[in-house]
mmCIF file with all atom_site columns, all heavy atoms in Angstrom:
data_model
loop_
_atom_site.group_PDB
_atom_site.id
_atom_site.type_symbol
_atom_site.label_atom_id
_atom_site.label_alt_id
_atom_site.label_comp_id
_atom_site.label_asym_id
_atom_site.label_entity_id
_atom_site.label_seq_id
_atom_site.pdbx_PDB_ins_code
_atom_site.Cartn_x
_atom_site.Cartn_y
_atom_site.Cartn_z
_atom_site.occupancy
_atom_site.B_iso_or_equiv
_atom_site.pdbx_formal_charge
_atom_site.auth_seq_id
_atom_site.auth_comp_id
_atom_site.auth_asym_id
_atom_site.auth_atom_id
_atom_site.pdbx_PDB_model_num
ATOM 1   N N   . THR A 1 233 ? 15.362 -172.597 60.735 1.00 0.00 ? 243 THR A N   1
ATOM 2   C CA  . THR A 1 233 ? 15.719 -173.832 59.878 1.00 0.00 ? 243 THR A CA  1
ATOM 3   C C   . THR A 1 233 ? 14.483 -174.099 59.065 1.00 0.00 ? 243 THR A C   1
ATOM 4   O O   . THR A 1 233 ? 13.387 -174.545 59.580 1.00 0.00 ? 243 THR A O   1
ATOM 5   C CB  . THR A 1 233 ? 16.139 -174.984 60.774 1.00 0.00 ? 243 THR A CB  1
ATOM 6   O OG1 . THR A 1 233 ? 17.177 -174.583 61.631 1.00 0.00 ? 243 THR A OG1 1
ATOM 7   C CG2 . THR A 1 233 ? 16.552 -176.180 59.941 1.00 0.00 ? 243 THR A CG2 1
ATOM 8   N N   . PRO A 1 234 ? 14.468 -173.980 57.783 1.00 0.00 ? 244 PRO A N   1
ATOM 9   C CA  . PRO A 1 234 ? 15.564 -173.398 56.982 1.00 0.00 ? 244 PRO A CA  1
ATOM 10  C C   . PRO A 1 234 ? 15.624 -171.825 56.985 1.00 0.00 ? 244 PRO A C   1
ATOM 11  O O   . PRO A 1 234 ? 14.583 -171.236 57.468 1.00 0.00 ? 244 PRO A O   1
ATOM 12  C CB  . PRO A 1 234 ? 15.297 -173.984 55.553 1.00 0.00 ? 244 PRO A CB  1
ATOM 13  C CG  . PRO A 1 234 ? 13.845 -173.972 55.567 1.00 0.00 ? 244 PRO A CG  1
ATOM 14  C CD  . PRO A 1 234 ? 13.357 -174.435 56.893 1.00 0.00 ? 244 PRO A CD  1
ATOM 15  N N   . GLY A 1 235 ? 16.790 -171.257 56.514 1.00 0.00 ? 245 GLY A N   1
ATOM 16  C CA  . GLY A 1 235 ? 16.760 -169.827 56.581 1.00 0.00 ? 245 GLY A CA  1
ATOM 17  C C   . GLY A 1 235 ? 17.704 -169.453 55.476 1.00 0.00 ? 245 GLY A C   1
ATOM 18  O O   . GLY A 1 235 ? 18.457 -170.188 54.871 1.00 0.00 ? 245 GLY A O   1
ATOM 19  N N   . THR A 1 236 ? 17.628 -168.119 55.156 1.00 0.00 ? 246 THR A N   1
ATOM 20  C CA  . THR A 1 236 ? 18.371 -167.524 53.974 1.00 0.00 ? 246 THR A CA  1
ATOM 21  C C   . THR A 1 236 ? 19.230 -166.401 54.526 1.00 0.00 ? 246 THR A C   1
ATOM 22  O O   . THR A 1 236 ? 18.695 -165.399 55.258 1.00 0.00 ? 246 THR A O   1
ATOM 23  C CB  . THR A 1 236 ? 17.388 -167.055 52.954 1.00 0.00 ? 246 THR A CB  1
ATOM 24  O OG1 . THR A 1 236 ? 16.539 -168.052 52.411 1.00 0.00 ? 246 THR A OG1 1
ATOM 25  C CG2 . THR A 1 236 ? 18.184 -166.427 51.769 1.00 0.00 ? 246 THR A CG2 1
ATOM 26  N N   . ALA A 1 237 ? 20.509 -166.383 54.109 1.00 0.00 ? 247 ALA A N   1
ATOM 27  C CA  . ALA A 1 237 ? 21.338 -165.261 54.487 1.00 0.00 ? 247 ALA A CA  1
ATOM 28  C C   . ALA A 1 237 ? 21.872 -164.654 53.173 1.00 0.00 ? 247 ALA A C   1
ATOM 29  O O   . ALA A 1 237 ? 22.427 -165.297 52.248 1.00 0.00 ? 247 ALA A O   1
ATOM 30  C CB  . ALA A 1 237 ? 22.647 -165.746 55.191 1.00 0.00 ? 247 ALA A CB  1
ATOM 31  N N   . VAL A 1 238 ? 21.644 -163.272 53.067 1.00 0.00 ? 248 VAL A N   1
ATOM 32  C CA  . VAL A 1 238 ? 22.029 -162.535 51.848 1.00 0.00 ? 248 VAL A CA  1
ATOM 33  C C   . VAL A 1 238 ? 23.239 -161.726 52.217 1.00 0.00 ? 248 VAL A C   1
ATOM 34  O O   . VAL A 1 238 ? 23.124 -160.828 53.078 1.00 0.00 ? 248 VAL A O   1
ATOM 35  C CB  . VAL A 1 238 ? 20.810 -161.730 51.386 1.00 0.00 ? 248 VAL A CB  1
ATOM 36  C CG1 . VAL A 1 238 ? 21.324 -160.929 50.002 1.00 0.00 ? 248 VAL A CG1 1
ATOM 37  C CG2 . VAL A 1 238 ? 19.686 -162.491 51.133 1.00 0.00 ? 248 VAL A CG2 1
ATOM 38  N N   . LEU A 1 239 ? 24.348 -161.886 51.580 1.00 0.00 ? 249 LEU A N   1
ATOM 39  C CA  . LEU A 1 239 ? 25.552 -161.222 51.809 1.00 0.00 ? 249 LEU A CA  1
ATOM 40  C C   . LEU A 1 239 ? 25.841 -160.116 50.782 1.00 0.00 ? 249 LEU A C   1
ATOM 41  O O   . LEU A 1 239 ? 25.867 -160.394 49.714 1.00 0.00 ? 249 LEU A O   1
ATOM 42  C CB  . LEU A 1 239 ? 26.756 -162.260 51.815 1.00 0.00 ? 249 LEU A CB  1
ATOM 43  C CG  . LEU A 1 239 ? 26.440 -163.502 52.644 1.00 0.00 ? 249 LEU A CG  1
ATOM 44  C CD1 . LEU A 1 239 ? 27.832 -164.352 52.637 1.00 0.00 ? 249 LEU A CD1 1
ATOM 45  C CD2 . LEU A 1 239 ? 26.099 -163.245 54.122 1.00 0.00 ? 249 LEU A CD2 1
ATOM 46  N N   . ILE A 1 240 ? 25.932 -158.874 51.333 1.00 0.00 ? 250 ILE A N   1
ATOM 47  C CA  . ILE A 1 240 ? 26.149 -157.762 50.534 1.00 0.00 ? 250 ILE A CA  1
ATOM 48  C C   . ILE A 1 240 ? 27.394 -157.080 50.775 1.00 0.00 ? 250 ILE A C   1
ATOM 49  O O   . ILE A 1 240 ? 28.191 -156.688 49.891 1.00 0.00 ? 250 ILE A O   1
ATOM 50  C CB  . ILE A 1 240 ? 24.962 -156.734 50.695 1.00 0.00 ? 250 ILE A CB  1
ATOM 51  C CG1 . ILE A 1 240 ? 23.610 -157.397 50.380 1.00 0.00 ? 250 ILE A CG1 1
ATOM 52  C CG2 . ILE A 1 240 ? 25.182 -155.494 49.711 1.00 0.00 ? 250 ILE A CG2 1
ATOM 53  C CD1 . ILE A 1 240 ? 22.462 -156.460 50.909 1.00 0.00 ? 250 ILE A CD1 1
ATOM 54  N N   . GLY A 1 241 ? 27.776 -156.873 52.158 1.00 0.00 ? 251 GLY A N   1
ATOM 55  C CA  . GLY A 1 241 ? 28.976 -156.403 52.493 1.00 0.00 ? 251 GLY A CA  1
ATOM 56  C C   . GLY A 1 241 ? 30.203 -157.413 52.062 1.00 0.00 ? 251 GLY A C   1
ATOM 57  O O   . GLY A 1 241 ? 30.000 -158.535 52.151 1.00 0.00 ? 251 GLY A O   1
ATOM 58  N N   . MET A 1 242 ? 31.316 -156.823 51.898 1.00 0.00 ? 252 MET A N   1
ATOM 59  C CA  . MET A 1 242 ? 32.450 -157.597 51.466 1.00 0.00 ? 252 MET A CA  1
ATOM 60  C C   . MET A 1 242 ? 33.734 -157.418 52.346 1.00 0.00 ? 252 MET A C   1
ATOM 61  O O   . MET A 1 242 ? 33.885 -156.309 52.762 1.00 0.00 ? 252 MET A O   1
ATOM 62  C CB  . MET A 1 242 ? 32.854 -157.340 50.022 1.00 0.00 ? 252 MET A CB  1
ATOM 63  C CG  . MET A 1 242 ? 31.773 -157.812 49.027 1.00 0.00 ? 252 MET A CG  1
ATOM 64  S SD  . MET A 1 242 ? 32.403 -157.703 47.249 1.00 0.00 ? 252 MET A SD  1
ATOM 65  C CE  . MET A 1 242 ? 32.414 -155.944 47.051 1.00 0.00 ? 252 MET A CE  1
ATOM 66  N N   . ASN A 1 243 ? 34.400 -158.581 52.721 1.00 0.00 ? 253 ASN A N   1
ATOM 67  C CA  . ASN A 1 243 ? 35.747 -158.492 53.321 1.00 0.00 ? 253 ASN A CA  1
ATOM 68  C C   . ASN A 1 243 ? 36.425 -159.745 52.843 1.00 0.00 ? 253 ASN A C   1
ATOM 69  O O   . ASN A 1 243 ? 35.945 -160.599 52.112 1.00 0.00 ? 253 ASN A O   1
ATOM 70  C CB  . ASN A 1 243 ? 35.625 -158.406 54.770 1.00 0.00 ? 253 ASN A CB  1
ATOM 71  C CG  . ASN A 1 243 ? 35.013 -159.594 55.392 1.00 0.00 ? 253 ASN A CG  1
ATOM 72  O OD1 . ASN A 1 243 ? 35.738 -160.713 55.498 1.00 0.00 ? 253 ASN A OD1 1
ATOM 73  N ND2 . ASN A 1 243 ? 33.892 -159.561 56.006 1.00 0.00 ? 253 ASN A ND2 1
ATOM 74  N N   . THR A 1 244 ? 37.677 -159.760 53.191 1.00 0.00 ? 254 THR A N   1
ATOM 75  C CA  . THR A 1 244 ? 38.538 -160.935 52.639 1.00 0.00 ? 254 THR A CA  1
ATOM 76  C C   . THR A 1 244 ? 38.751 -161.985 53.713 1.00 0.00 ? 254 THR A C   1
ATOM 77  O O   . THR A 1 244 ? 39.554 -162.893 53.469 1.00 0.00 ? 254 THR A O   1
ATOM 78  C CB  . THR A 1 244 ? 39.927 -160.377 52.213 1.00 0.00 ? 254 THR A CB  1
ATOM 79  O OG1 . THR A 1 244 ? 40.522 -159.682 53.235 1.00 0.00 ? 254 THR A OG1 1
ATOM 80  C CG2 . THR A 1 244 ? 39.701 -159.527 50.966 1.00 0.00 ? 254 THR A CG2 1
ATOM 81  N N   . SER A 1 245 ? 38.024 -161.876 54.897 1.00 0.00 ? 255 SER A N   1
ATOM 82  C CA  . SER A 1 245 ? 38.283 -162.855 55.925 1.00 0.00 ? 255 SER A CA  1
ATOM 83  C C   . SER A 1 245 ? 37.565 -164.146 55.551 1.00 0.00 ? 255 SER A C   1
ATOM 84  O O   . SER A 1 245 ? 36.426 -164.156 54.949 1.00 0.00 ? 255 SER A O   1
ATOM 85  C CB  . SER A 1 245 ? 37.679 -162.325 57.176 1.00 0.00 ? 255 SER A CB  1
ATOM 86  O OG  . SER A 1 245 ? 38.398 -161.185 57.739 1.00 0.00 ? 255 SER A OG  1
ATOM 87  N N   . PRO A 1 246 ? 38.143 -165.260 55.975 1.00 0.00 ? 256 PRO A N   1
ATOM 88  C CA  . PRO A 1 246 ? 37.490 -166.581 55.571 1.00 0.00 ? 256 PRO A CA  1
ATOM 89  C C   . PRO A 1 246 ? 36.185 -166.626 56.392 1.00 0.00 ? 256 PRO A C   1
ATOM 90  O O   . PRO A 1 246 ? 36.052 -166.028 57.488 1.00 0.00 ? 256 PRO A O   1
ATOM 91  C CB  . PRO A 1 246 ? 38.441 -167.659 56.181 1.00 0.00 ? 256 PRO A CB  1
ATOM 92  C CG  . PRO A 1 246 ? 39.841 -166.992 56.241 1.00 0.00 ? 256 PRO A CG  1
ATOM 93  C CD  . PRO A 1 246 ? 39.480 -165.560 56.477 1.00 0.00 ? 256 PRO A CD  1
ATOM 94  N N   . LEU A 1 247 ? 35.263 -167.229 55.817 1.00 0.00 ? 257 LEU A N   1
ATOM 95  C CA  . LEU A 1 247 ? 33.895 -167.430 56.442 1.00 0.00 ? 257 LEU A CA  1
ATOM 96  C C   . LEU A 1 247 ? 34.001 -168.568 57.528 1.00 0.00 ? 257 LEU A C   1
ATOM 97  O O   . LEU A 1 247 ? 34.137 -169.744 57.261 1.00 0.00 ? 257 LEU A O   1
ATOM 98  C CB  . LEU A 1 247 ? 32.800 -167.775 55.451 1.00 0.00 ? 257 LEU A CB  1
ATOM 99  C CG  . LEU A 1 247 ? 31.338 -167.819 55.870 1.00 0.00 ? 257 LEU A CG  1
ATOM 100 C CD1 . LEU A 1 247 ? 30.920 -166.382 56.364 1.00 0.00 ? 257 LEU A CD1 1
ATOM 101 C CD2 . LEU A 1 247 ? 30.522 -168.249 54.821 1.00 0.00 ? 257 LEU A CD2 1
ATOM 102 N N   . GLY A 1 248 ? 33.869 -168.065 58.802 1.00 0.00 ? 258 GLY A N   1
ATOM 103 C CA  . GLY A 1 248 ? 34.151 -169.145 59.916 1.00 0.00 ? 258 GLY A CA  1
ATOM 104 C C   . GLY A 1 248 ? 32.811 -169.992 60.234 1.00 0.00 ? 258 GLY A C   1
ATOM 105 O O   . GLY A 1 248 ? 32.505 -169.972 61.383 1.00 0.00 ? 258 GLY A O   1
ATOM 106 N N   . VAL A 1 249 ? 32.408 -170.681 59.315 1.00 0.00 ? 259 VAL A N   1
ATOM 107 C CA  . VAL A 1 249 ? 31.106 -171.546 59.603 1.00 0.00 ? 259 VAL A CA  1
ATOM 108 C C   . VAL A 1 249 ? 31.399 -172.838 58.682 1.00 0.00 ? 259 VAL A C   1
ATOM 109 O O   . VAL A 1 249 ? 31.960 -172.755 57.529 1.00 0.00 ? 259 VAL A O   1
ATOM 110 C CB  . VAL A 1 249 ? 29.899 -170.829 59.085 1.00 0.00 ? 259 VAL A CB  1
ATOM 111 C CG1 . VAL A 1 249 ? 29.904 -170.487 57.635 1.00 0.00 ? 259 VAL A CG1 1
ATOM 112 C CG2 . VAL A 1 249 ? 28.671 -171.711 59.414 1.00 0.00 ? 259 VAL A CG2 1
ATOM 113 N N   . SER A 1 250 ? 31.077 -173.973 59.277 1.00 0.00 ? 260 SER A N   1
ATOM 114 C CA  . SER A 1 250 ? 31.432 -175.198 58.645 1.00 0.00 ? 260 SER A CA  1
ATOM 115 C C   . SER A 1 250 ? 30.283 -175.605 57.830 1.00 0.00 ? 260 SER A C   1
ATOM 116 O O   . SER A 1 250 ? 29.182 -175.260 57.875 1.00 0.00 ? 260 SER A O   1
ATOM 117 C CB  . SER A 1 250 ? 31.615 -176.271 59.700 1.00 0.00 ? 260 SER A CB  1
ATOM 118 O OG  . SER A 1 250 ? 30.424 -176.540 60.291 1.00 0.00 ? 260 SER A OG  1
ATOM 119 N N   . PRO A 1 251 ? 30.745 -176.380 56.622 1.00 0.00 ? 261 PRO A N   1
ATOM 120 C CA  . PRO A 1 251 ? 29.699 -176.933 55.920 1.00 0.00 ? 261 PRO A CA  1
ATOM 121 C C   . PRO A 1 251 ? 28.521 -177.749 56.677 1.00 0.00 ? 261 PRO A C   1
ATOM 122 O O   . PRO A 1 251 ? 27.369 -177.619 56.278 1.00 0.00 ? 261 PRO A O   1
ATOM 123 C CB  . PRO A 1 251 ? 30.396 -177.814 54.855 1.00 0.00 ? 261 PRO A CB  1
ATOM 124 C CG  . PRO A 1 251 ? 31.799 -177.175 54.803 1.00 0.00 ? 261 PRO A CG  1
ATOM 125 C CD  . PRO A 1 251 ? 31.998 -176.666 56.237 1.00 0.00 ? 261 PRO A CD  1
ATOM 126 N N   . ARG A 1 252 ? 29.014 -178.400 57.605 1.00 0.00 ? 262 ARG A N   1
ATOM 127 C CA  . ARG A 1 252 ? 28.026 -179.173 58.501 1.00 0.00 ? 262 ARG A CA  1
ATOM 128 C C   . ARG A 1 252 ? 27.033 -178.295 59.039 1.00 0.00 ? 262 ARG A C   1
ATOM 129 O O   . ARG A 1 252 ? 25.784 -178.596 59.037 1.00 0.00 ? 262 ARG A O   1
ATOM 130 C CB  . ARG A 1 252 ? 28.841 -179.913 59.566 1.00 0.00 ? 262 ARG A CB  1
ATOM 131 C CG  . ARG A 1 252 ? 27.839 -180.813 60.424 1.00 0.00 ? 262 ARG A CG  1
ATOM 132 C CD  . ARG A 1 252 ? 28.650 -181.354 61.595 1.00 0.00 ? 262 ARG A CD  1
ATOM 133 N NE  . ARG A 1 252 ? 27.805 -182.197 62.451 1.00 0.00 ? 262 ARG A NE  1
ATOM 134 C CZ  . ARG A 1 252 ? 26.947 -181.781 63.335 1.00 0.00 ? 262 ARG A CZ  1
ATOM 135 N NH1 . ARG A 1 252 ? 26.669 -180.434 63.496 1.00 0.00 ? 262 ARG A NH1 1
ATOM 136 N NH2 . ARG A 1 252 ? 26.159 -182.576 63.918 1.00 0.00 ? 262 ARG A NH2 1
#
Side-chain angles (χ1 to χ4, degrees):
T243 302
T246 298
V248 183
L249 311 184
I250 305 168
M252 291 190 287
N253 68 68
T254 57
S255 300
L257 188 62
V259 59
S260 71
R262 181 186 182 281

